[in-house]
Amino acid sequence: MKYKYVILGGGPTGLGAAYRLKELGITDFIVLEKENFVGGLATSFLDEEGFTWDVGGHVQFSHYQYFDDLMKLALGEEGWYTHQRESWVWIRDRFVPYPFQNNLGYLPKEEQWQCLQGLIELYKKGPSTKLANFREWILNTCGQGIADVFMFPYNFKVWAYPPEMMNANWVGERVAVSDLGRIVENIIFDKDDLSWGPNNLFQFPKSGGTGSIWKAVGQLIGEPYFRLNSTVKSVNLNQHQITLEDGTKIEYEHVMSTIPLDIFTQKCEDLPLEVTQTAQGLKHSSTHVIGIGLKGKPVEQLAKKCWMYFPEDNSPYYRVTVFSNYSPDNVPDPANQWSLMAEVSESDMKPVNRASLVEDTIKAMLEDGLIESEEQVISKFYFSTAYGYPTPSLERDGILKQVLPVLENKDVYSRGRFGAWKYEVSNQDHSMMQGVEWANRMVHQVPELTLPFPNTANAMWGK
């Protein structure tokens, strides 16, 4: 078997590449997917009780008109709900609106002062221009008080690595910086400050969860262009040949791989050993998703909330989504049922007791006042993925500069959330567009934008 283009992985990046190739009139390609479905980390599952679950709290917002147009084509104009974001931080037995640093007036007076004092000291000494890591970025933009109260504990919970092990290049639009004047004004005049960020309005499919989008994109591409249940065993870069676990050999001219870069380099038979070893220095965390299907109605304080952040140690989760608020179709009986979806991170530096995780989650939800009684629970869903978050570690950029060009010189292009390992451009829209831009480069030699210039790509939001 021989193809001009082989795409490894049927997640948003692979689907974006395949869709664009077909749109450009190219039919000499195949998508190899190890699972028996497409969608990757953006797939959805229906549990035995009829509840729909995503692999984490996905929402649809975009930096690209091309992405928006494809979303409408996939599900139609009427296939979406549009939501105003309501995200909150649960801390000190109360909900504080997100972003936390803009809404300090919700905190006890002592901690309001602790956070303000840190900002005042920061303004006195002036910002530093040389920041060695993410910890220094937090202190330089938020001050010691906000760092200690929220930013340090929350970011360890979500990343599963201490912030001093992470670079600050990824931050961009992901974290709200602290404006002392704005914060003081909000406290004095008792103002809520809720609208920051690119996802303050977002969309969600009316039916089938996030996975319905990518299933529909796969159908637009066409079944003949996919080979499911196809795991890559090895790649011979010099001979341009892929061997699958079932022994099938596939020749190619160009490959786009979305396989995690550290794993992919191990599959390359003739890659220099030092390149493979360098790629093993990339860091990542695992993600556990716990879905809790419930009878009755949510407590009043959750009635309109979208998702909530949990920085404190009593709970295993860093984020909980009121998933039934995204679409009533996410539960089998919307009049009498609702659902919560929790996310837990794990790494060597933050181990998780997997055996008790579901029960620990329910216990914490009771303590946090999210549910009133364990008798409400009628469904428990658990999903774990070893590769959840590509960690923007201190070493990451240097590793990518060493590894990616070597592969490209062999006609292999590593793209996507874990193929390119750039968290700052790994949302669904970014990931899909990495595939689209790769196809444009292959066919028309159009330079890519999203991967080499993340800040430029993110600056396109709202344009």
Side-chain angles (χ1 to χ4, degrees):
M1 248 180 289
K2 184 172 182 179
Y3 296 92
K4 184 166 186 177
Y5 302 106
V6 174
I7 297 165
L8 304 181
T13 307
L15 292 168
Y19 180 83
R20 183 56 177 158
L21 285 174
K22 191 176 179 188
E23 189 178 44
L24 291 171
I26 307 296
T27 58
D28 189 6
F29 71 89
I30 191 72
V31 179
L32 304 178
E33 169 55 53
K34 67 183 178 66
E35 305 291 351
N36 64 353
F37 54 83
V38 300
L41 292 178
T43 195
S44 300
F45 297 96
L46 190 68
D47 73 14
E48 292 180 356
E49 304 298 328
F51 288 81
T52 296
W53 305 105
D54 280 1
V55 184
H58 299 305
V59 299
Q60 293 295 114
F61 65 98
S62 167
H63 300 77
Y64 310 86
Q65 188 62 49
Y66 186 95
F67 179 88
D68 293 340
D69 291 343
L70 183 53
M71 294 301 96
K72 291 176 184 176
L73 185 62
L75 297 187
E77 294 274 0
E78 303 302 317
W80 303 88
Y81 290 113
T82 298
H83 297 292
Q84 180 79 41
R85 181 192 68 206
E86 276 213 28
S87 51
W88 298 74
V89 177
W90 177 254
I91 189 169
R92 309 301 185 260
D93 295 320
R94 68 196 66 196
F95 279 116
V96 176
Y98 177 84
F100 174 84
Q101 47 269 54
N102 288 0
N103 294 283
L104 301 179
Y106 280 72
L107 293 175
K109 293 295 183 185
E110 295 79 8
E111 286 183 316
Q112 287 184 38
W113 175 238
Q114 180 184 352
C115 292
L116 285 172
Q117 200 171 26
L119 282 169
I120 291 166
E121 291 301 315
L122 183 62
Y123 271 68
K124 280 182 182 177
K125 71 177 184 179
S128 172
T129 55
K130 292 184 178 179
L131 303 174
N133 53 54
F134 184 41
R135 179 185 177 87
E136 291 188 8
W137 184 94
I138 290 172
L139 290 170
N140 192 61
T141 55
C142 299
Q144 188 74 52
I146 293 173
D148 289 340
V149 172
F150 174 66
M151 293 293 283
F152 286 165
Y154 176 72
N155 276 287
F156 180 69
K157 263 187 118 174
V158 67
W159 289 106
Y161 290 97
E164 57 268 26
M165 294 181 66
M166 298 167 58
N167 72 54
N169 301 335
W170 63 274
V171 178
E173 63 172 16
R174 301 283 183 149
V175 182
V177 298
S178 300
D179 180 329
L180 180 59
R182 180 174 178 174
I183 289 168
V184 172
E185 180 186 4
N186 292 342
I187 292 173
I188 291 175
F189 293 101
D190 199 24
K191 284 185 177 180
D192 290 344
D193 196 340
L194 311 175
S195 62
W196 180 87
N199 63 355
N200 57 73
L201 274 179
F202 67 91
Q203 291 186 303
F204 194 83
K206 287 186 175 180
S207 180
T210 297
S212 66
I213 305 163
W214 303 105
K215 189 182 295 185
V217 173
Q219 289 168 350
L220 290 172
I221 296 163
E223 188 176 335
Y225 296 99
F226 293 89
R227 179 173 172 148
L228 304 179
N229 300 305
S230 297
T231 300
V232 174
K233 180 180 181 182
S234 63
V235 181
N236 188 303
L237 298 172
N238 290 327
Q239 294 182 14
H240 282 45
Q241 186 178 79
I242 296 165
T243 302
L244 303 180
E245 289 285 1
D246 67 2
T248 302
K249 295 187 182 300
I250 297 174
E251 296 180 23
Y252 64 85
E253 291 185 30
H254 306 281
V255 163
M256 190 193 78
S257 171
T258 68
I259 297 171
L261 185 57
D262 54 349
I263 294 176
F264 180 76
T265 55
Q266 294 175 11
K267 294 177 181 287
C268 296
E269 296 174 341
D270 45 358
L271 195 63
L273 181 60
E274 63 270 19
V275 177
T276 302
Q277 290 175 336
T278 297
Q280 305 318 301
L282 292 166
K283 292 181 172 62
H284 71 280
S285 60
S286 303
T287 295
H288 305 274
V289 178
I290 303 96
I292 305 298
L294 299 144
K295 63 183 177 182
K297 295 283 187 181
V299 293
E300 186 177 349
Q301 61 182 355
L302 299 185
K304 294 183 178 179
K305 286 182 172 59
C306 298
W307 65 86
M308 301 151 286
Y309 303 108
F310 293 81
E312 296 174 325
D313 289 337
N314 73 293
S315 61
Y317 41 75
Y318 61 85
R319 180 169 59 187
V320 174
T321 299
V322 189
F323 202 47
S324 49
N325 283 351
Y326 284 9
S327 169
D329 196 57
N330 287 341
V331 301
D333 181 4
N336 299 294
Q337 296 170 344
W338 61 293
S339 59
L340 292 171
M341 181 170 61
E343 295 162 84
V344 178
S345 66
E346 181 180 15
S347 74
D348 292 340
M349 304 195 74
K350 182 182 171 290
V352 168
N353 185 344
R354 300 186 182 195
S356 65
L357 189 54
V358 174
E359 297 310 317
D360 290 345
T361 294
I362 293 172
K363 180 182 176 183
M365 286 179 172
L366 286 163
E367 290 179 6
D368 290 335
L370 302 180
I371 58 178
E372 296 172 296
S373 165
E374 197 165 346
E375 293 178 0
Q376 289 179 272
V377 177
I378 54 177
S379 178
K380 301 173 187 178
F381 171 82
Y382 173 72
F383 180 87
S384 177
T385 176
Y387 284 73
Y389 277 68
T391 308
S393 65
L394 293 173
E395 311 90 351
R396 182 200 68 175
D397 291 351
I399 292 171
L400 296 178
K401 285 178 183 176
Q402 291 182 62
V403 176
L404 295 182
V406 174
L407 292 174
E408 291 197 11
N409 285 336
K410 298 290 187 178
D411 298 308
V412 174
Y413 303 81
S414 197
R415 299 292 184 265
R417 186 175 178 90
F418 281 102
W421 221 275
K422 287 196 175 180
Y423 171 77
E424 55 269 42
V425 280
S426 66
N427 283 342
Q428 291 176 74
D429 62 328
H430 296 125
S431 297
M432 191 199 88
M433 288 304 296
Q434 285 189 44
V436 170
E437 291 172 7
W438 170 81
N440 288 338
R441 176 179 169 185
M442 292 295 97
V443 179
H444 289 310
Q445 294 76 54
V446 177
E448 296 170 84
L449 168 68
T450 299
L451 183 58
F453 305 109
N455 290 338
T456 302
N458 284 322
M460 295 192 303
W461 169 71
K463 298 294 189 291

